[in-house]
Every structure is written in structure tokens, then in C-alpha cells.
Amino acid sequence: MSWEEDAFHALKESEIDFIAYLPDTVLDGLLNRLIDDNEFQTVRVAREEEAVSLLSGVWLGGGRGALICQSSGLANCFNALGSHAIPAELPFLGIVTRRGAIGEHNRAQVAAGYGLPRMLNDLGVRNYQLENADAAKSETALAAETAFATKEPYVLFLERTLTGGKDD
């Protein structure tokens, strides 16, 4: 089974029912699987901060949500995380393709992407780097469990060693 299929099943088994996303070619397999499944409500957002607000509303309405995006976009929503989601205890699972780390070819992705796990730690958002396809289902499920049990956002970075990254 692929990491995308494992992550899809982990989201479903974690009772996540709402997906806010921004397109990313590395995430096409997972996003297309989620969009095609009637148990998930999927919304393509214009910016990641918009996703944080939507996912907060989902939680307050009794649902569970996930943000699926690229690390450069996650870096754009630090204010929404620090001033909204964390102090108000509005959890969601972030599934984020990581740019700027090992194998990165685009210098513009390095500044925010390389240091993003440390920056999230400083903000108080726990995160984990998923590197191995064999662990995709269990670690996605554990990340979701952690987010909703602690009422905090939790970010699961999908590393290039897992996704294969981008060639362009």
C-alpha cells in the first residue's frame, strides 16, 4: 500500500471529516483520494490562514479537520496559529509536505522550510517528520490522536524521503 493510501485510511479511522487544502503536486494522490470520498468534506482554500479559521469552526461545530498543504504555506499562517488556534484550544491535524530540507533544489524554499520544525516548536506547535512509508498510517493516526486529545494543532511533515519531492 502507498503512503497516500495509508494516510487516507488513518484520516478516516481518526474520524477526521473535513479537509482544507491547497494544491501541491506531491499531494495529488492523497488529495484526489480524499476529494473522491463522500465521507470527507473538502475545501480548497486560497491561503493557509483561511484553513486555520475553517478548521476552528469545524472543531467548534463538533467535527475534526485537517489542513493539507506545503511547508511554505504553513509558514504564512504563524499569526493564525499563535493568536487564534493555540490560545483558544482549536485543534487540527496538519499534513504538510516539507520543502527546504535535504534534497531541496529551490533556494527560495530553504529559508522558511529548513527551520520550520524549530519555528513551530518555538510557537508551541508540536510536530513530527514522517520519513518512512511503512509508518505512514500509524504515525498519521497518532498525530491526529495527539491533536484532538490535547486540543492543539499538530503538524506532521511529509519529508522528501517519503514523498520523493519535486523535480522542478
Side-chain angles (χ1 to χ4, degrees), residues 58-76:
V58 168
W59 175 253
L60 293 172
R64 291 179 167 201
L67 164 62
I68 300 179
C69 67
Q70 188 183 94
S71 60
S72 57
L74 185 66
N76 292 333

Side-chain angles (χ1 to χ4, degrees), residues 17-19 41 52-66 91:
D17 52 7
F18 189 94
I19 306 293
Q41 182 177 356
V52 172
S53 294
L54 283 171
L55 296 169
S56 296
V58 168
W59 175 253
L60 293 172
R64 291 179 167 201

Side-chain angles (χ1 to χ4, degrees), residues 10 45 70 78 106 161:
V45 294
Q70 188 183 94
F78 264 52
N106 184 344
T161 55

Side-chain angles (χ1 to χ4, degrees), residues 87-104:
E89 299 182 332
L90 301 167
F92 65 87
L93 173 63
I95 297 180
V96 179
T97 54
R98 184 153 174 237
R99 300 290 308 263
I102 190 167
E104 180 60 59

